[in-house]
Amino acid sequence: NVFYVDGDRNTQIHNATFNNGTGVMRNNIFYNVSSAKTQQVAMDKTKDTWLNNIFYGYEGLFTMREDNFAVDPQFEDPGKAPTDVLLTDGGNMATVHNRSVYDGYKLKAGSPAINAGTFVEGSGKYDFFGNALGILPDIGVYESDTAETESPLELKLCGTMAMDVKADKILDVPKEVTVKELKDQFVC
């Protein structure tokens, strides 16, 4: 997900009054260019899990947990997406917009968000734009075509092939298996 805050909005990432449950926030980009930024609830005071998120524009507003980043995600052209909803003649909501109007939230080459996410079991196979997700997903809504150079060790095989996954190699891969078939064994 990408959360873009602009204008003079004082938008809180987490509200301390809702502290009865727990949540898991992974691979999100919180991008704040608002002029009304105020102190945020410290992430270390919540029961929620925050992993591999990028926070831009929140520097100094809260204490960040490890495994999160305070960097510019380097979007192509943030803030240019439409905010209106298109309606049909009968007043019912129709398709909001063609996805291309959100191209400004794609990542530039060299973005620190590329291959910096964490694998989320059951998250689906494609990003917002229809690109196949990698084993090491990008943070945000866009999956670049940047090659992945490592694989997370906690990854489980979900297919039917019996292989031995080591820290630096995969053993016992049948010779007739294509790269696509091998990748499909990792991403269900």
Side-chain angles (χ1 to χ4, degrees):
N1 296 304
V2 170
F3 300 90
Y4 181 86
V5 182
D6 65 358
D8 63 352
R9 295 177 182 91
N10 180 13
T11 304
Q12 295 280 324
I13 293 174
H14 182 272
N15 187 328
T17 60
F18 300 110
N19 58 7
N20 293 331
T22 61
V24 178
M25 298 294 285
R26 291 186 211 158
N27 303 339
N28 300 288
I29 297 175
F30 298 88
Y31 194 95
N32 192 339
V33 292
S34 170
S35 60
K37 299 179 220 178
T38 61
Q39 191 68 32
Q40 302 286 305
V41 173
M43 292 167 57
D44 57 357
K45 304 287 186 213
T46 73
K47 294 184 271 183
D48 299 326
T49 302
W50 298 82
L51 294 170
N52 297 77
N53 298 290
I54 289 180
F55 297 90
Y56 176 75
Y58 291 94
E59 296 81 5
L61 296 178
F62 63 94
T63 304
M64 193 177 322
R65 290 183 178 171
E66 292 181 29
D67 299 322
N68 292 282
F69 314 96
V71 296
D72 182 348
Q74 299 177 20
F75 288 128
E76 288 289 339
D77 195 12
K80 303 293 190 242
T83 58
D84 61 325
V85 176
L86 302 176
L87 301 176
T88 63
D89 290 338
N92 297 319
M93 283 186 32
T95 301
V96 176
H97 291 282
N98 180 301
R99 291 180 186 173
S100 66
V101 299
Y102 301 101
D103 283 353
Y105 295 96
K106 290 182 176 179
L107 302 170
K108 292 180 181 178
S111 164
I114 294 174
N115 296 336
T118 182
F119 179 77
V120 178
E121 190 171 338
S123 66
K125 290 186 175 186
Y126 303 97
D127 72 0
F128 175 79
F129 297 97
N131 302 314
L133 293 177
I135 295 170
L136 287 174
D138 296 351
I139 297 175
V141 296
Y142 176 69
E143 182 73 10
S144 70
D145 59 1
T146 302
E148 297 169 352
T149 58
E150 58 184 79
S151 176
L153 298 177
E154 69 274 16
L155 195 61
K156 298 175 186 172
L157 290 172
C158 56
T160 58
M161 285 185 240
M163 291 177 276
D164 186 10
V165 180
K166 301 287 185 192
D168 61 347
K169 61 181 96 174
I170 302 173
L171 305 173
D172 304 322
V173 178
K175 288 182 181 182
E176 66 276 359
V177 173
T178 67
V179 172
K180 181 185 178 324
E181 290 169 333
L182 180 62
K183 183 177 177 184
D184 287 347
Q185 295 297 306
F186 288 101
V187 181
C188 295

